[in-house]
Amino acid sequence: MSTAHAYGAPSPTESLVPLEIERREVGPGDVLIDIKFCGVCHSDIHHCRGEWGEVPYPAVPGHEIAGVVSAVGEAVTKHAVGDRVGVGCMVNSCRECENCQKGDEQYCLPGNTQTYGSIDRDGTVTNGGYSTHVVVDEDFVVRIPDMIELDAAAPLLCAGITTYSPLRHWGAGPGKAVAIVGLGGLGHMAVKLAKAMGAEVTVLSQSLRKQDDGLRLGADHYFATSDPQTFDELAGRFDLIINTVSAQLDIGAFLQLLRTDGALVNVGAPSEALPVAVFSLLLQRRTFAGSAIGSIHETQEMLDFCAEHGIAAEIEVISAAGINEAWERVLASDVRYRFVIDSSTLGD
Ligand code: NAP
Ligand code: ZN
């Protein structure tokens, strides 16, 4: 066992505080990662505040981990000391169910082992990347291409893959009109990725406050959803809408923006239900779907795609002591566009 410096929530209502946590011994198939940067995902907030259900406390979040391998177990073949690597939202899965066998371990039927808040194989609760180091099974560690800086790569491990996967699954590409709802961490990656795939990209944000950024990130069009005119003007326009909003939304209004056979895919994960009027679906054979992260194989594919297209996250690097303030800014939709913790400040 080894001790890591970390930041975590003591309860659903308290701010994050410095903590010391134990990491398991490096087993035969494990990789020890010296964490350099960890992105701040809105899921970290939902989880630590208990919005998704019961949580074991203290809770150390963080599932956008970028670092360097500092030790490997004797059976490890995929990674070596000194490699630049990443870990996303899961650190293991059953490996036996139909979905794991297909390589869709994010949809592991008994449930995958999440990077934080899950029961690990040794019976302890997993702790995330707001920490100095982590021990992870080599199969759940991906390679970060040399041309992507580690700080800007970190958010790709969740925000990147969570938007890449549905864009690919629903065929974003040339000739397809894609709308991204919410220009936050996930949203800004969705814009960059959809553009690189060749789609015509529209941002649907609450206001025009971030319009210049949205267009600079690659969007072809930008509309404010606070303006009712937007919904008249864009009716029936899109093949695919990716909703990244972390709060409840009038899904029916957005479904009207889909063409016949279009799909609205929810990746945002508010705790509240999103009611849907059946007629907004059946009259134009529209689909309302959901999508969770992506597989390990697809995560590697996404990182390689980003390297090839010169894509990474737009980040604001913060010290560990700035985490609570950063969370408040995420909650106020004032993130541009991902906070990333510099892990070297965790032991200060
Ligand atoms: P984020 O950075 O806070 O971005 C969310 C954006 O949604 C905001 O920037 C804002 O964009 C918009 N928004 C926020 N509150 C809103 C409201 N009340 N009404 C309308 N729009 C609102 O969050 P994130 O890290 O991208 O995560 C987004 C959601 O995805 C979270 O719920 C997170 O838990 C979930 N998530 C899901 C997966 C998955 O596997 N499916 C993975 C990661 C995260 P504008 O200011 O542009 O309107
Ligand atoms: Zn996340």
Side-chain angles (χ1 to χ4, degrees):
M1 299 250 277
S2 61
T3 302
H5 295 294
Y7 253 70
S11 77
T13 52
E14 288 171 272
S15 297
L16 304 196
V17 294
L19 295 168
E20 291 201 338
I21 55 171
E22 297 299 317
R23 294 300 192 187
R24 69 167 182 256
E25 288 296 331
V26 179
D30 283 339
V31 172
L32 173 64
I33 301 168
D34 178 12
I35 300 175
K36 300 294 185 191
F37 297 97
C38 184
V40 173
C41 179
H42 204 120
S43 301
D44 302 345
I45 307 176
H46 289 307
H47 173 83
C48 288
R49 299 201 168 170
E51 293 169 18
W52 288 340
E54 293 265 321
V55 173
Y57 291 100
V60 174
H63 56 206
E64 293 185 337
I65 298 172
V68 175
V69 175
S70 55
V72 295
E74 68 261 22
V76 167
T77 57
K78 296 180 177 146
H79 308 285
V81 172
D83 284 359
R84 303 161 87 246
V85 293
V87 176
C89 300
M90 52 184 173
V91 290
N92 217 334
S93 71
C94 84
R95 301 170 191 238
E96 286 167 2
C97 73
E98 192 183 328
N99 289 343
C100 283
Q101 291 284 320
K102 270 198 310 204
D104 277 336
E105 49 290 288
Q106 75 276 34
Y107 300 120
C108 173
L109 294 172
N112 61 54
T113 309
Q114 298 271 295
T115 304
Y116 55 81
S118 272
I119 304 297
D120 208 350
R121 64 184 194 208
D122 62 0
T124 61
V125 174
T126 54
N127 280 311
Y130 291 15
S131 61
T132 46
H133 62 271
V134 64
V135 178
V136 181
D137 187 292
E138 69 161 337
D139 294 335
F140 286 77
V141 176
V142 288
R143 238 178 323 100
I144 296 180
D146 286 340
M147 52 284 275
I148 312 179
E149 297 294 336
L150 283 184
D151 52 2
L156 302 178
L157 277 306
C158 173
I161 185 59
T162 300
T163 50
Y164 181 88
S165 183
L167 286 168
R168 276 278 187 248
H169 187 82
W170 275 274
K176 291 288 167 80
V178 175
I180 309 301
V181 191
L183 194 64
L186 267 57
H188 95 287
M189 284 313 309
V191 170
K192 288 188 176 208
L193 291 165
K195 189 65 188 172
M197 290 173 191
E200 180 185 350
V201 183
T202 301
V203 172
L204 301 175
S205 178
Q206 293 167 92
S207 72
L208 294 179
R209 216 156 42 104
K210 305 179 219 170
Q211 184 170 23
D212 291 347
D213 288 347
L215 298 175
R216 179 176 54 79
L217 293 168
D220 299 287
H221 316 283
Y222 196 107
F223 290 86
T225 53
S226 53
D227 180 356
Q229 190 64 33
T230 292
F231 291 90
D232 294 337
E233 195 174 335
L234 299 180
R237 175 83 70 97
F238 302 108
D239 299 289
L240 175 63
I241 300 176
I242 307 281
N243 176 25
T244 75
V245 171
S246 47
Q248 208 181 22
L249 208 63
D250 179 2
I251 288 296
F254 287 87
L255 285 169
Q256 300 297 340
L257 307 186
L258 290 171
R259 291 195 172 124
T260 307
D261 283 330
L264 189 164
V265 183
N266 224 85
V267 292
S271 48
E272 303 88 0
L274 297 175
V276 169
V278 173
F279 278 91
S280 56
L281 293 173
L282 62 81
L283 287 180
Q284 294 300 326
R285 199 166 55 190
R286 294 169 172 133
T287 302
F288 179 40
S291 182
I293 51 172
S295 68
I296 295 297
H297 173 80
E298 201 177 22
T299 303
Q300 189 64 61
E301 178 188 302
M302 175 274 308
L303 287 166
D304 296 341
F305 178 89
C306 286
E308 188 187 327
H309 292 267
I311 293 174
E314 306 277 306
I315 55 166
E316 189 172 330
V317 176
I318 57 167
S319 67
I323 289 174
N324 291 301
E325 191 189 330
W327 276 25
E328 290 310 317
R329 283 185 52 198
V330 171
L331 289 167
S333 300
D334 183 30
V335 51
R336 305 213 176 180
Y337 282 85
R338 202 56 144 182
F339 290 109
V340 172
I341 300 164
D342 175 350
S343 309
S344 70
T345 61
L346 276 159
D348 294 352

